[in-house]
Amino acid sequence: LKCDAVVNEISTGPGTVNFTINRELLAKTVLQQVLKDGSEYGIKSELFSTVPRQKAVIEFSSPNIAKKFHIGHLRSTIIGNFIANLKVALGHQVTRINYLGDWGMQFGLLGVGFQQFGNEEKLKSSPLQHLFEVYVQINKAADDENTKKLAKDFFRKLEEHDEQTLSLWKQFRSFSIEEYIRIYKRLGVHFDEYSGESFYQEKSQEVLKMLEEKGLLQKTMKGTGIVDLSEKKDLSSFSTVMRSDGTSLYITRSVNLAAAIDRMNKHNCDIMMYVTDKSQSNHFRHLFQILKLMGYDWAERCQHVSFGLVQGMKTRRGEVLFLEDVLDEARSRMLQNMASAKTTKELENPVETAEKIGLAALIIQDFQGLLSSDYQFSWDRALQSRGDTGVFLQYTHARLHSLEQMHGNGQTTDVDVTSLQEPEAVSVLQHLLRYDEVLYRSSQDLQPKHLVSYLFTLSHVAATAHRALPVKGSTPDVAQARLCLFRAARSVLANGMKLLGITPVTQM
């Protein structure tokens, strides 16, 4: 080993060779790269040079109209959003799809309920809340023979495209989507396509026909349609694709088959992902198996991204009914914490800030473990400002931002950073260098926890450096170099937070 521009000291110990890297070069190279690449830092790394760019379709969130938006939908929403953000950042072409539960017998019941208890005004102003209330009310009478008959009639008319019935259903659907779009906006989430089970009810008949033509559809004694998935063809594993009552041959599997086939034809993608909780693993395994039996080789490119369940998510008013409740709760608890904290600055818009910090707290608590693990949700733990929480990441970002504001946004090019030799500065620099590896790991196994723990470490080393390396009172050259270091740390922190679906705040 010889000393050169990179290695500036070599020594040997018992059975070891020790060498130190040129710290001036480290500071120059890392900071130049971070500040030059901005939001693309880490993504331009050669680690990704061999990764082929793909077309991906990601289905996530997928709530049911008129039913509760339960906490599993929230997990699906933030996980799907993270995967989509990461893929887009890495240069893949992504289509985000929200596949709504907007068809089926429950709409017969809902239609009858609305005719009895509905209110046009309430439907316009808070559709999800109102439809849910109507659904709960009519459900009480769901066993009554007359109600059953009316619901069946209503749904039959829907399937026959009766104008009046269809127009009521269309109102349910479009008002609900409008409200969802508004709520997703609060989450910072958008979709390229809202599709739903309703689009495929006719195509699902075609799928059943195809299954029949290929000799895959078998009828049981009861008249139910099944597909044999067993290796020995002994029905030890099968999937039901058709009900026996004939009122509606609609069943999720044949509709999901139709949706998958249609999506692949339309988008011709390299990968198709479904982000839902692990209780649906069986369903997707069967779905992909049937597609394969039907001769669709692209079934290999379908993937179920599953996640565990959340326990203990309640608001002060009790059980979580709607996504909106969770967001409001996070915001109001955060506002309360901010009001009682001594360090809170006078903010221009405290409500908006509380919303962003509360959301960061929710996302980080969710992303700290493996996605497949169940976890116990705790508001107190999520909203703590000390310890590894979303609040701590936001606080670090705001502090670094105010440091830049305070000391003027001087130029960042041509700054002499060779003075950054202290171990605290070197820790930050070394950690910034690892960012691409973390992105690479997350892109391989789709686990956000790698990125989350990276950002915590970055925040800790930046806080240590902030204490040890004051900007105020240093000579102009040293102050500029340190500002450069902190700006780079803040930039990477912001990039990572945005990938996770968090909007960094600049004051708190």
mmCIF file of all heavy atoms in Angstrom, residues 173-219:
data_model
loop_
_atom_site.group_PDB
_atom_site.id
_atom_site.type_symbol
_atom_site.label_atom_id
_atom_site.label_comp_id
_atom_site.label_asym_id
_atom_site.label_seq_id
_atom_site.Cartn_x
_atom_site.Cartn_y
_atom_site.Cartn_z
ATOM 1 N N ARG A 173 -70.760 7.016 -5.589
ATOM 2 C CA ARG A 173 -69.368 6.770 -5.953
ATOM 3 C C ARG A 173 -68.598 8.088 -6.163
ATOM 4 O O ARG A 173 -67.518 8.270 -5.617
ATOM 5 C CB ARG A 173 -69.322 5.931 -7.235
ATOM 6 C CG ARG A 173 -67.947 5.415 -7.552
ATOM 7 C CD ARG A 173 -67.931 4.549 -8.801
ATOM 8 N NE ARG A 173 -66.672 3.856 -8.925
ATOM 9 C CZ ARG A 173 -65.581 4.387 -9.453
ATOM 10 N NH1 ARG A 173 -65.618 5.619 -9.914
ATOM 11 N NH2 ARG A 173 -64.458 3.704 -9.509
ATOM 12 N N SER A 174 -69.188 8.998 -6.939
ATOM 13 C CA SER A 174 -68.406 10.198 -7.281
ATOM 14 C C SER A 174 -68.229 11.122 -6.082
ATOM 15 O O SER A 174 -67.160 11.691 -5.880
ATOM 16 C CB SER A 174 -69.003 10.926 -8.481
ATOM 17 O OG SER A 174 -70.273 11.417 -8.132
ATOM 18 N N PHE A 175 -69.270 11.257 -5.238
ATOM 19 C CA PHE A 175 -69.099 12.088 -4.036
ATOM 20 C C PHE A 175 -68.066 11.467 -3.092
ATOM 21 O O PHE A 175 -67.283 12.171 -2.466
ATOM 22 C CB PHE A 175 -70.433 12.265 -3.285
ATOM 23 C CG PHE A 175 -71.393 13.208 -3.963
ATOM 24 C CD1 PHE A 175 -72.757 12.964 -3.955
ATOM 25 C CD2 PHE A 175 -70.926 14.350 -4.606
ATOM 26 C CE1 PHE A 175 -73.650 13.833 -4.581
ATOM 27 C CE2 PHE A 175 -71.808 15.225 -5.243
ATOM 28 C CZ PHE A 175 -73.167 14.965 -5.237
ATOM 29 N N SER A 176 -68.078 10.143 -3.000
ATOM 30 C CA SER A 176 -67.111 9.471 -2.130
ATOM 31 C C SER A 176 -65.688 9.685 -2.620
ATOM 32 O O SER A 176 -64.789 9.983 -1.840
ATOM 33 C CB SER A 176 -67.409 7.969 -2.054
ATOM 34 O OG SER A 176 -68.662 7.755 -1.444
ATOM 35 N N ILE A 177 -65.496 9.555 -3.937
ATOM 36 C CA ILE A 177 -64.145 9.743 -4.491
ATOM 37 C C ILE A 177 -63.677 11.178 -4.269
ATOM 38 O O ILE A 177 -62.531 11.415 -3.894
ATOM 39 C CB ILE A 177 -64.090 9.360 -5.989
ATOM 40 C CG1 ILE A 177 -64.221 7.835 -6.124
ATOM 41 C CG2 ILE A 177 -62.784 9.829 -6.631
ATOM 42 C CD1 ILE A 177 -64.204 7.321 -7.548
ATOM 43 N N GLU A 178 -64.578 12.145 -4.457
ATOM 44 C CA GLU A 178 -64.202 13.550 -4.213
ATOM 45 C C GLU A 178 -63.695 13.721 -2.784
ATOM 46 O O GLU A 178 -62.699 14.399 -2.537
ATOM 47 C CB GLU A 178 -65.414 14.474 -4.410
ATOM 48 C CG GLU A 178 -65.540 15.014 -5.807
ATOM 49 C CD GLU A 178 -66.880 15.742 -6.016
ATOM 50 O OE1 GLU A 178 -67.286 16.509 -5.122
ATOM 51 O OE2 GLU A 178 -67.500 15.524 -7.069
ATOM 52 N N GLU A 179 -64.425 13.110 -1.838
ATOM 53 C CA GLU A 179 -64.005 13.259 -0.447
ATOM 54 C C GLU A 179 -62.685 12.535 -0.194
ATOM 55 O O GLU A 179 -61.813 13.042 0.499
ATOM 56 C CB GLU A 179 -65.085 12.733 0.516
ATOM 57 C CG GLU A 179 -64.731 13.112 1.951
ATOM 58 C CD GLU A 179 -65.838 12.826 2.956
ATOM 59 O OE1 GLU A 179 -66.889 12.265 2.595
ATOM 60 O OE2 GLU A 179 -65.629 13.173 4.123
ATOM 61 N N TYR A 180 -62.532 11.341 -0.791
ATOM 62 C CA TYR A 180 -61.261 10.635 -0.639
ATOM 63 C C TYR A 180 -60.097 11.460 -1.173
ATOM 64 O O TYR A 180 -59.062 11.572 -0.529
ATOM 65 C CB TYR A 180 -61.309 9.268 -1.353
ATOM 66 C CG TYR A 180 -61.869 8.168 -0.484
ATOM 67 C CD1 TYR A 180 -62.846 7.298 -0.949
ATOM 68 C CD2 TYR A 180 -61.425 7.999 0.823
ATOM 69 C CE1 TYR A 180 -63.371 6.291 -0.149
ATOM 70 C CE2 TYR A 180 -61.939 7.000 1.636
ATOM 71 C CZ TYR A 180 -62.908 6.157 1.146
ATOM 72 O OH TYR A 180 -63.418 5.170 1.953
ATOM 73 N N ILE A 181 -60.282 12.071 -2.335
ATOM 74 C CA ILE A 181 -59.203 12.880 -2.931
ATOM 75 C C ILE A 181 -58.782 13.993 -1.967
ATOM 76 O O ILE A 181 -57.597 14.247 -1.765
ATOM 77 C CB ILE A 181 -59.635 13.448 -4.309
ATOM 78 C CG1 ILE A 181 -59.702 12.312 -5.334
ATOM 79 C CG2 ILE A 181 -58.675 14.544 -4.786
ATOM 80 C CD1 ILE A 181 -60.271 12.685 -6.681
ATOM 81 N N ARG A 182 -59.782 14.615 -1.342
ATOM 82 C CA ARG A 182 -59.477 15.686 -0.387
ATOM 83 C C ARG A 182 -58.666 15.150 0.808
ATOM 84 O O ARG A 182 -57.700 15.760 1.249
ATOM 85 C CB ARG A 182 -60.795 16.313 0.091
ATOM 86 C CG ARG A 182 -60.632 17.484 1.025
ATOM 87 C CD ARG A 182 -61.988 18.046 1.445
ATOM 88 N NE ARG A 182 -62.843 17.102 2.150
ATOM 89 C CZ ARG A 182 -62.642 16.725 3.412
ATOM 90 N NH1 ARG A 182 -61.620 17.190 4.092
ATOM 91 N NH2 ARG A 182 -63.466 15.871 3.997
ATOM 92 N N ILE A 183 -59.063 13.980 1.314
ATOM 93 C CA ILE A 183 -58.357 13.414 2.475
ATOM 94 C C ILE A 183 -56.954 12.944 2.082
ATOM 95 O O ILE A 183 -55.990 13.154 2.813
ATOM 96 C CB ILE A 183 -59.164 12.244 3.087
ATOM 97 C CG1 ILE A 183 -60.534 12.755 3.566
ATOM 98 C CG2 ILE A 183 -58.423 11.630 4.262
ATOM 99 C CD1 ILE A 183 -61.506 11.653 3.953
ATOM 100 N N TYR A 184 -56.850 12.310 0.896
ATOM 101 C CA TYR A 184 -55.531 11.859 0.439
ATOM 102 C C TYR A 184 -54.583 13.046 0.275
ATOM 103 O O TYR A 184 -53.385 12.928 0.482
ATOM 104 C CB TYR A 184 -55.647 11.098 -0.886
ATOM 105 C CG TYR A 184 -56.228 9.709 -0.759
ATOM 106 C CD1 TYR A 184 -57.278 9.282 -1.571
ATOM 107 C CD2 TYR A 184 -55.726 8.804 0.177
ATOM 108 C CE1 TYR A 184 -57.810 8.002 -1.458
ATOM 109 C CE2 TYR A 184 -56.244 7.524 0.298
ATOM 110 C CZ TYR A 184 -57.293 7.127 -0.517
ATOM 111 O OH TYR A 184 -57.811 5.865 -0.402
ATOM 112 N N LYS A 185 -55.150 14.180 -0.094
ATOM 113 C CA LYS A 185 -54.327 15.379 -0.253
ATOM 114 C C LYS A 185 -53.680 15.748 1.086
ATOM 115 O O LYS A 185 -52.520 16.153 1.134
ATOM 116 C CB LYS A 185 -55.211 16.517 -0.763
ATOM 117 C CG LYS A 185 -54.420 17.581 -1.477
ATOM 118 C CD LYS A 185 -55.331 18.568 -2.168
ATOM 119 C CE LYS A 185 -54.530 19.798 -2.550
ATOM 120 N NZ LYS A 185 -55.363 20.835 -3.099
ATOM 121 N N ARG A 186 -54.444 15.604 2.167
ATOM 122 C CA ARG A 186 -53.876 15.874 3.501
ATOM 123 C C ARG A 186 -52.718 14.923 3.792
ATOM 124 O O ARG A 186 -51.771 15.265 4.469
ATOM 125 C CB ARG A 186 -54.955 15.692 4.581
ATOM 126 C CG ARG A 186 -55.930 16.827 4.684
ATOM 127 C CD ARG A 186 -56.966 16.583 5.758
ATOM 128 N NE ARG A 186 -56.424 16.599 7.121
ATOM 129 C CZ ARG A 186 -57.152 16.425 8.216
ATOM 130 N NH1 ARG A 186 -58.457 16.219 8.111
ATOM 131 N NH2 ARG A 186 -56.595 16.455 9.407
ATOM 132 N N LEU A 187 -52.819 13.705 3.266
ATOM 133 C CA LEU A 187 -51.765 12.708 3.478
ATOM 134 C C LEU A 187 -50.593 12.908 2.519
ATOM 135 O O LEU A 187 -49.574 12.241 2.637
ATOM 136 C CB LEU A 187 -52.324 11.309 3.226
ATOM 137 C CG LEU A 187 -52.953 10.558 4.383
ATOM 138 C CD1 LEU A 187 -53.635 9.303 3.865
ATOM 139 C CD2 LEU A 187 -51.913 10.180 5.429
ATOM 140 N N GLY A 188 -50.791 13.798 1.533
ATOM 141 C CA GLY A 188 -49.743 13.977 0.521
ATOM 142 C C GLY A 188 -49.697 12.814 -0.457
ATOM 143 O O GLY A 188 -48.658 12.488 -1.003
ATOM 144 N N VAL A 189 -50.855 12.174 -0.675
ATOM 145 C CA VAL A 189 -50.911 10.989 -1.543
ATOM 146 C C VAL A 189 -51.812 11.283 -2.743
ATOM 147 O O VAL A 189 -52.841 11.932 -2.595
ATOM 148 C CB VAL A 189 -51.494 9.794 -0.750
ATOM 149 C CG1 VAL A 189 -51.769 8.606 -1.661
ATOM 150 C CG2 VAL A 189 -50.544 9.382 0.366
ATOM 151 N N HIS A 190 -51.403 10.835 -3.906
ATOM 152 C CA HIS A 190 -52.294 10.982 -5.066
ATOM 153 C C HIS A 190 -52.346 9.663 -5.839
ATOM 154 O O HIS A 190 -51.464 8.807 -5.666
ATOM 155 C CB HIS A 190 -51.805 12.103 -5.998
ATOM 156 C CG HIS A 190 -50.560 11.720 -6.742
ATOM 157 N ND1 HIS A 190 -49.304 11.856 -6.193
ATOM 158 C CD2 HIS A 190 -50.371 11.173 -7.969
ATOM 159 C CE1 HIS A 190 -48.398 11.415 -7.056
ATOM 160 N NE2 HIS A 190 -49.014 10.999 -8.145
ATOM 161 N N PHE A 191 -53.362 9.514 -6.670
ATOM 162 C CA PHE A 191 -53.503 8.315 -7.506
ATOM 163 C C PHE A 191 -53.625 8.733 -8.964
ATOM 164 O O PHE A 191 -54.178 9.780 -9.272
ATOM 165 C CB PHE A 191 -54.740 7.511 -7.087
ATOM 166 C CG PHE A 191 -54.588 6.883 -5.733
ATOM 167 C CD1 PHE A 191 -55.014 7.554 -4.598
ATOM 168 C CD2 PHE A 191 -53.966 5.659 -5.592
ATOM 169 C CE1 PHE A 191 -54.834 7.002 -3.338
ATOM 170 C CE2 PHE A 191 -53.773 5.094 -4.332
ATOM 171 C CZ PHE A 191 -54.216 5.775 -3.202
ATOM 172 N N ASP A 192 -53.104 7.893 -9.858
ATOM 173 C CA ASP A 192 -53.223 8.179 -11.285
ATOM 174 C C ASP A 192 -54.547 7.645 -11.810
ATOM 175 O O ASP A 192 -55.030 8.070 -12.851
ATOM 176 C CB ASP A 192 -52.077 7.502 -12.049
ATOM 177 C CG ASP A 192 -50.729 7.992 -11.538
ATOM 178 O OD1 ASP A 192 -50.513 9.222 -11.557
ATOM 179 O OD2 ASP A 192 -49.916 7.163 -11.071
ATOM 180 N N GLU A 193 -55.100 6.696 -11.057
ATOM 181 C CA GLU A 193 -56.302 6.032 -11.564
ATOM 182 C C GLU A 193 -57.164 5.584 -10.394
ATOM 183 O O GLU A 193 -56.664 4.963 -9.459
ATOM 184 C CB GLU A 193 -55.841 4.786 -12.318
ATOM 185 C CG GLU A 193 -56.568 4.484 -13.592
ATOM 186 C CD GLU A 193 -55.927 3.291 -14.299
ATOM 187 O OE1 GLU A 193 -54.963 3.495 -15.070
ATOM 188 O OE2 GLU A 193 -56.380 2.169 -14.041
ATOM 189 N N TYR A 194 -58.451 5.913 -10.463
ATOM 190 C CA TYR A 194 -59.404 5.322 -9.526
ATOM 191 C C TYR A 194 -60.160 4.287 -10.313
ATOM 192 O O TYR A 194 -60.874 4.622 -11.244
ATOM 193 C CB TYR A 194 -60.384 6.373 -8.996
ATOM 194 C CG TYR A 194 -59.803 7.184 -7.866
ATOM 195 C CD1 TYR A 194 -59.001 8.297 -8.116
ATOM 196 C CD2 TYR A 194 -60.039 6.822 -6.543
ATOM 197 C CE1 TYR A 194 -58.448 9.029 -7.086
ATOM 198 C CE2 TYR A 194 -59.492 7.554 -5.499
ATOM 199 C CZ TYR A 194 -58.700 8.649 -5.775
ATOM 200 O OH TYR A 194 -58.142 9.362 -4.738
ATOM 201 N N SER A 195 -59.949 3.011 -9.987
ATOM 202 C CA SER A 195 -60.761 2.022 -10.684
ATOM 203 C C SER A 195 -61.589 1.356 -9.598
ATOM 204 O O SER A 195 -61.581 1.793 -8.461
ATOM 205 C CB SER A 195 -59.878 1.066 -11.475
ATOM 206 O OG SER A 195 -59.546 -0.046 -10.708
ATOM 207 N N GLY A 196 -62.306 0.304 -9.930
ATOM 208 C CA GLY A 196 -63.129 -0.305 -8.906
ATOM 209 C C GLY A 196 -63.735 -1.584 -9.406
ATOM 210 O O GLY A 196 -63.700 -1.883 -10.605
ATOM 211 N N GLU A 197 -64.310 -2.324 -8.474
ATOM 212 C CA GLU A 197 -64.885 -3.619 -8.833
ATOM 213 C C GLU A 197 -66.003 -3.448 -9.862
ATOM 214 O O GLU A 197 -66.240 -4.316 -10.680
ATOM 215 C CB GLU A 197 -65.390 -4.301 -7.557
ATOM 216 C CG GLU A 197 -64.230 -4.582 -6.604
ATOM 217 C CD GLU A 197 -64.664 -5.054 -5.211
ATOM 218 O OE1 GLU A 197 -65.826 -4.797 -4.851
ATOM 219 O OE2 GLU A 197 -63.843 -5.650 -4.519
ATOM 220 N N SER A 198 -66.649 -2.260 -9.820
ATOM 221 C CA SER A 198 -67.780 -2.034 -10.725
ATOM 222 C C SER A 198 -67.353 -2.075 -12.199
ATOM 223 O O SER A 198 -68.139 -2.427 -13.065
ATOM 224 C CB SER A 198 -68.398 -0.668 -10.441
ATOM 225 O OG SER A 198 -67.414 0.345 -10.578
ATOM 226 N N PHE A 199 -66.109 -1.705 -12.486
ATOM 227 C CA PHE A 199 -65.666 -1.661 -13.889
ATOM 228 C C PHE A 199 -65.609 -3.049 -14.501
ATOM 229 O O PHE A 199 -65.576 -3.203 -15.701
ATOM 230 C CB PHE A 199 -64.253 -1.077 -13.993
ATOM 231 C CG PHE A 199 -64.194 0.387 -13.717
ATOM 232 C CD1 PHE A 199 -63.225 0.900 -12.864
ATOM 233 C CD2 PHE A 199 -65.093 1.266 -14.299
ATOM 234 C CE1 PHE A 199 -63.172 2.261 -12.594
ATOM 235 C CE2 PHE A 199 -65.039 2.624 -14.038
ATOM 236 C CZ PHE A 199 -64.074 3.115 -13.178
ATOM 237 N N TYR A 200 -65.494 -4.065 -13.641
ATOM 238 C CA TYR A 200 -65.154 -5.376 -14.181
ATOM 239 C C TYR A 200 -66.286 -6.383 -14.075
ATOM 240 O O TYR A 200 -66.099 -7.546 -14.320
ATOM 241 C CB TYR A 200 -63.898 -5.904 -13.482
ATOM 242 C CG TYR A 200 -62.732 -4.991 -13.725
ATOM 243 C CD1 TYR A 200 -62.249 -4.152 -12.723
ATOM 244 C CD2 TYR A 200 -62.136 -4.924 -14.991
ATOM 245 C CE1 TYR A 200 -61.196 -3.292 -12.965
ATOM 246 C CE2 TYR A 200 -61.085 -4.056 -15.240
ATOM 247 C CZ TYR A 200 -60.618 -3.250 -14.234
ATOM 248 O OH TYR A 200 -59.581 -2.395 -14.482
ATOM 249 N N GLN A 201 -67.507 -5.896 -13.668
ATOM 250 C CA GLN A 201 -68.517 -6.923 -13.455
ATOM 251 C C GLN A 201 -68.888 -7.637 -14.754
ATOM 252 O O GLN A 201 -69.106 -8.834 -14.758
ATOM 253 C CB GLN A 201 -69.696 -6.395 -12.634
ATOM 254 C CG GLN A 201 -70.807 -5.700 -13.328
ATOM 255 C CD GLN A 201 -70.609 -4.213 -13.492
ATOM 256 O OE1 GLN A 201 -69.525 -3.681 -13.352
ATOM 257 N NE2 GLN A 201 -71.670 -3.545 -13.817
ATOM 258 N N GLU A 202 -68.854 -6.907 -15.883
ATOM 259 C CA GLU A 202 -69.163 -7.601 -17.145
ATOM 260 C C GLU A 202 -67.977 -8.457 -17.608
ATOM 261 O O GLU A 202 -68.125 -9.569 -18.073
ATOM 262 C CB GLU A 202 -69.530 -6.591 -18.233
ATOM 263 C CG GLU A 202 -71.020 -6.311 -18.259
ATOM 264 C CD GLU A 202 -71.342 -4.853 -18.550
ATOM 265 O OE1 GLU A 202 -70.611 -4.238 -19.342
ATOM 266 O OE2 GLU A 202 -72.312 -4.339 -17.962
ATOM 267 N N LYS A 203 -66.783 -7.874 -17.433
ATOM 268 C CA LYS A 203 -65.582 -8.610 -17.863
ATOM 269 C C LYS A 203 -65.392 -9.882 -17.052
ATOM 270 O O LYS A 203 -64.770 -10.830 -17.507
ATOM 271 C CB LYS A 203 -64.354 -7.713 -17.751
ATOM 272 C CG LYS A 203 -64.355 -6.624 -18.808
ATOM 273 C CD LYS A 203 -63.033 -5.908 -18.869
ATOM 274 C CE LYS A 203 -63.013 -5.003 -20.099
ATOM 275 N NZ LYS A 203 -62.359 -3.744 -19.868
ATOM 276 N N SER A 204 -65.928 -9.882 -15.816
ATOM 277 C CA SER A 204 -65.750 -11.089 -15.005
ATOM 278 C C SER A 204 -66.535 -12.256 -15.609
ATOM 279 O O SER A 204 -66.158 -13.408 -15.475
ATOM 280 C CB SER A 204 -66.158 -10.841 -13.550
ATOM 281 O OG SER A 204 -67.549 -10.746 -13.435
ATOM 282 N N GLN A 205 -67.605 -11.936 -16.321
ATOM 283 C CA GLN A 205 -68.364 -12.997 -17.026
ATOM 284 C C GLN A 205 -67.499 -13.586 -18.140
ATOM 285 O O GLN A 205 -67.481 -14.795 -18.353
ATOM 286 C CB GLN A 205 -69.660 -12.430 -17.639
ATOM 287 C CG GLN A 205 -70.603 -11.773 -16.654
ATOM 288 C CD GLN A 205 -71.146 -12.750 -15.622
ATOM 289 O OE1 GLN A 205 -71.145 -13.960 -15.826
ATOM 290 N NE2 GLN A 205 -71.596 -12.239 -14.489
ATOM 291 N N GLU A 206 -66.754 -12.696 -18.815
ATOM 292 C CA GLU A 206 -65.857 -13.168 -19.885
ATOM 293 C C GLU A 206 -64.789 -14.091 -19.315
ATOM 294 O O GLU A 206 -64.424 -15.095 -19.925
ATOM 295 C CB GLU A 206 -65.174 -11.981 -20.582
ATOM 296 C CG GLU A 206 -66.109 -11.117 -21.407
ATOM 297 C CD GLU A 206 -65.466 -9.784 -21.804
ATOM 298 O OE1 GLU A 206 -64.220 -9.754 -21.977
ATOM 299 O OE2 GLU A 206 -66.201 -8.788 -21.917
ATOM 300 N N VAL A 207 -64.278 -13.719 -18.123
ATOM 301 C CA VAL A 207 -63.245 -14.537 -17.483
ATOM 302 C C VAL A 207 -63.794 -15.929 -17.175
ATOM 303 O O VAL A 207 -63.142 -16.941 -17.421
ATOM 304 C CB VAL A 207 -62.726 -13.864 -16.178
ATOM 305 C CG1 VAL A 207 -61.896 -14.830 -15.359
ATOM 306 C CG2 VAL A 207 -61.901 -12.636 -16.523
ATOM 307 N N LEU A 208 -65.034 -15.980 -16.663
ATOM 308 C CA LEU A 208 -65.649 -17.278 -16.349
ATOM 309 C C LEU A 208 -65.788 -18.107 -17.624
ATOM 310 O O LEU A 208 -65.556 -19.314 -17.631
ATOM 311 C CB LEU A 208 -67.017 -17.078 -15.687
ATOM 312 C CG LEU A 208 -66.979 -16.483 -14.269
ATOM 313 C CD1 LEU A 208 -68.380 -16.103 -13.803
ATOM 314 C CD2 LEU A 208 -66.347 -17.457 -13.279
ATOM 315 N N LYS A 209 -66.129 -17.417 -18.722
ATOM 316 C CA LYS A 209 -66.241 -18.108 -20.024
ATOM 317 C C LYS A 209 -64.883 -18.689 -20.446
ATOM 318 O O LYS A 209 -64.777 -19.824 -20.880
ATOM 319 C CB LYS A 209 -66.750 -17.117 -21.078
ATOM 320 C CG LYS A 209 -68.034 -17.640 -21.727
ATOM 321 C CD LYS A 209 -68.268 -17.095 -23.087
ATOM 322 C CE LYS A 209 -69.237 -16.086 -23.369
ATOM 323 N NZ LYS A 209 -69.645 -14.882 -23.250
ATOM 324 N N MET A 210 -63.838 -17.851 -20.274
ATOM 325 C CA MET A 210 -62.495 -18.304 -20.637
ATOM 326 C C MET A 210 -62.082 -19.517 -19.800
ATOM 327 O O MET A 210 -61.510 -20.481 -20.308
ATOM 328 C CB MET A 210 -61.477 -17.171 -20.404
ATOM 329 C CG MET A 210 -61.411 -16.152 -21.514
ATOM 330 S SD MET A 210 -60.516 -14.664 -20.981
ATOM 331 C CE MET A 210 -58.846 -15.289 -20.939
ATOM 332 N N LEU A 211 -62.390 -19.458 -18.501
ATOM 333 C CA LEU A 211 -62.052 -20.576 -17.623
ATOM 334 C C LEU A 211 -62.761 -21.845 -18.089
ATOM 335 O O LEU A 211 -62.197 -22.941 -18.065
ATOM 336 C CB LEU A 211 -62.451 -20.265 -16.171
ATOM 337 C CG LEU A 211 -61.577 -19.246 -15.425
ATOM 338 C CD1 LEU A 211 -62.245 -18.831 -14.114
ATOM 339 C CD2 LEU A 211 -60.187 -19.809 -15.140
ATOM 340 N N GLU A 212 -64.009 -21.641 -18.526
ATOM 341 C CA GLU A 212 -64.801 -22.785 -18.983
ATOM 342 C C GLU A 212 -64.193 -23.361 -20.263
ATOM 343 O O GLU A 212 -63.992 -24.570 -20.377
ATOM 344 C CB GLU A 212 -66.238 -22.323 -19.242
ATOM 345 C CG GLU A 212 -67.250 -23.423 -19.099
ATOM 346 C CD GLU A 212 -68.636 -22.865 -18.732
ATOM 347 O OE1 GLU A 212 -68.877 -21.649 -18.931
ATOM 348 O OE2 GLU A 212 -69.438 -23.647 -18.250
ATOM 349 N N GLU A 213 -63.845 -22.467 -21.201
ATOM 350 C CA GLU A 213 -63.278 -22.907 -22.483
ATOM 351 C C GLU A 213 -61.966 -23.653 -22.292
ATOM 352 O O GLU A 213 -61.637 -24.582 -23.016
ATOM 353 C CB GLU A 213 -63.067 -21.702 -23.410
ATOM 354 C CG GLU A 213 -64.357 -21.227 -24.055
ATOM 355 C CD GLU A 213 -64.248 -19.803 -24.610
ATOM 356 O OE1 GLU A 213 -63.119 -19.278 -24.687
ATOM 357 O OE2 GLU A 213 -65.299 -19.222 -24.952
ATOM 358 N N LYS A 214 -61.184 -23.209 -21.292
ATOM 359 C CA LYS A 214 -59.894 -23.861 -21.058
ATOM 360 C C LYS A 214 -60.046 -25.115 -20.184
ATOM 361 O O LYS A 214 -59.065 -25.733 -19.792
ATOM 362 C CB LYS A 214 -58.928 -22.882 -20.377
ATOM 363 C CG LYS A 214 -58.462 -21.763 -21.306
ATOM 364 C CD LYS A 214 -57.445 -20.869 -20.606
ATOM 365 C CE LYS A 214 -57.077 -19.663 -21.444
ATOM 366 N NZ LYS A 214 -56.196 -19.963 -22.575
ATOM 367 N N GLY A 215 -61.293 -25.446 -19.851
ATOM 368 C CA GLY A 215 -61.538 -26.641 -19.047
ATOM 369 C C GLY A 215 -61.087 -26.499 -17.595
ATOM 370 O O GLY A 215 -60.824 -27.491 -16.923
ATOM 371 N N LEU A 216 -60.989 -25.260 -17.126
ATOM 372 C CA LEU A 216 -60.507 -25.043 -15.755
ATOM 373 C C LEU A 216 -61.651 -24.899 -14.760
ATOM 374 O O LEU A 216 -61.458 -25.028 -13.560
ATOM 375 C CB LEU A 216 -59.630 -23.779 -15.700
ATOM 376 C CG LEU A 216 -58.306 -23.836 -16.483
ATOM 377 C CD1 LEU A 216 -57.706 -22.437 -16.602
ATOM 378 C CD2 LEU A 216 -57.318 -24.775 -15.815
ATOM 379 N N LEU A 217 -62.847 -24.590 -15.280
ATOM 380 C CA LEU A 217 -63.973 -24.334 -14.376
ATOM 381 C C LEU A 217 -64.725 -25.636 -14.082
ATOM 382 O O LEU A 217 -65.153 -26.327 -14.995
ATOM 383 C CB LEU A 217 -64.925 -23.319 -15.024
ATOM 384 C CG LEU A 217 -66.052 -22.783 -14.135
ATOM 385 C CD1 LEU A 217 -65.510 -21.939 -12.994
ATOM 386 C CD2 LEU A 217 -67.015 -21.934 -14.960
ATOM 387 N N GLN A 218 -64.832 -25.947 -12.801
ATOM 388 C CA GLN A 218 -65.587 -27.154 -12.433
ATOM 389 C C GLN A 218 -66.777 -26.748 -11.593
ATOM 390 O O GLN A 218 -66.703 -25.798 -10.825
ATOM 391 C CB GLN A 218 -64.699 -28.092 -11.604
ATOM 392 C CG GLN A 218 -63.461 -28.571 -12.337
ATOM 393 C CD GLN A 218 -62.677 -29.562 -11.488
ATOM 394 O OE1 GLN A 218 -63.225 -30.190 -10.589
ATOM 395 N NE2 GLN A 218 -61.392 -29.694 -11.775
ATOM 396 N N LYS A 219 -67.879 -27.493 -11.732
ATOM 397 C CA LYS A 219 -69.076 -27.200 -10.927
ATOM 398 C C LYS A 219 -69.169 -28.205 -9.798
ATOM 399 O O LYS A 219 -68.989 -29.405 -10.004
ATOM 400 C CB LYS A 219 -70.337 -27.293 -11.798
ATOM 401 C CG LYS A 219 -70.469 -26.187 -12.843
ATOM 402 C CD LYS A 219 -71.173 -24.971 -12.279
ATOM 403 C CE LYS A 219 -71.212 -23.795 -13.246
ATOM 404 N NZ LYS A 219 -72.012 -24.000 -14.438
#
